[in-house]
């Protein structure tokens, strides 16, 4: 974006198609740490990569707390072994959660189908057939 590899909040927002308010929120949560030049926030390549990871994590269903946990591990250790183990744990937890949600959705779909069938049956029982409607019209005449 510019020669000195710093980015304004507006540039970051445009690049990732998010609001500047979202970026400030991530900063408030301790996920991004821009430097300041007066009132201007200056984001580095590290912040840019972190923002990309935050957004990817959100798409995959990870909470900001989980993302922060990974960032904290990375900041504390130069080795990524522990971080990778943590990511694998988070993936396993997320996969388990998604499988449970999928099963819950399947059960709900069956229940909705059953309810729909009962409603349609009851509606058919309550609505007179065409021949009964014709007889009612004839009687009124």
């Amino acid at each position: 974006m510019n020669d000195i590899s710093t980015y304004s909040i507006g540039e970051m927002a445009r690049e990732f198609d998010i609001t500047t308010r979202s970026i400030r929120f991530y900063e408030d949560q301790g996920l991004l740490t821009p430097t300041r030049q007066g009132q201007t926030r200056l984001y580095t390549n590290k912040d840019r990569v972190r923002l990309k990871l935050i957004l990817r994590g959100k798409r995959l269903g990870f909470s900001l707390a989980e993302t922060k946990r990974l960032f904290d591990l990375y900041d504390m250790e130069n080795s990524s072994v522990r971080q990778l183990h943590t990511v694998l744990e988070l993936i396993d937890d997320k996969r388990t959660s998604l499988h449970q949600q999928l099963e819950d959705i399947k059960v709900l779909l069956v229940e909705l189908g059953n309810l729909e069938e009962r409603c349609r049956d009851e509606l058919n029982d309550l609505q007179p057939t065409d021949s009964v409607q014709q007889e009612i019209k004839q009687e009124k005449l």
Side-chain angles (χ1 to χ4, degrees):
M1 297 206 165
N2 57 32
D3 294 338
I4 51 177
S5 296
T6 59
Y7 310 93
S8 71
I9 194 168
E11 289 171 325
M12 295 275 279
R14 279 188 297 281
E15 179 178 353
F16 293 100
D17 195 27
I18 60 173
T19 64
T20 56
R21 185 176 180 182
S22 294
I23 295 173
R24 287 190 297 272
F25 176 76
Y26 298 142
E27 183 182 337
D28 290 343
Q29 298 301 306
L31 296 165
L32 299 173
T33 53
T35 58
R36 294 205 181 244
Q37 192 172 47
Q39 290 293 326
T40 305
R41 291 172 168 86
L42 296 176
Y43 296 89
T44 63
N45 280 327
K46 178 181 176 182
D47 293 312
R48 191 175 160 278
V49 168
R50 282 183 174 223
L51 182 55
K52 190 175 191 175
L53 292 172
I54 292 165
L55 298 174
R56 181 180 297 155
K58 279 184 60 176
R59 275 194 316 275
L60 293 172
F62 293 111
S63 70
L64 292 180
E66 291 167 327
T67 300
K68 184 168 182 2
R69 179 177 163 202
L70 294 173
F71 287 171
D72 290 346
L73 280 174
Y74 180 78
D75 289 342
M76 288 187 318
E77 301 177 12
N78 288 338
S79 167
S80 60
V81 171
R82 186 168 168 202
Q83 187 181 25
L84 290 171
H85 281 293
T86 302
V87 170
L88 289 172
E89 287 174 25
L90 291 172
I91 289 169
D92 188 50
D93 291 348
K94 185 56 61 182
R95 182 177 284 125
T96 300
S97 173
L98 288 171
H99 280 297
Q100 183 59 55
Q101 288 176 8
L102 184 59
E103 288 305 312
D104 293 345
I105 289 169
K106 287 177 182 178
V107 168
L108 284 173
L109 286 172
V110 168
E111 289 178 10
L112 283 172
N114 292 339
L115 177 60
E116 179 183 30
E117 186 177 333
R118 287 194 313 270
C119 288
R120 291 189 187 283
D121 289 346
E122 190 172 331
L123 190 58
N124 285 335
D125 291 344
L126 294 173
Q127 289 180 332
T129 63
D130 288 338
S131 61
V132 172
Q133 286 177 350
Q134 290 294 341
E135 287 178 28
I136 293 171
K137 284 184 184 178
Q138 291 298 328
E139 288 177 5
K140 288 184 179 179
L141 294 175

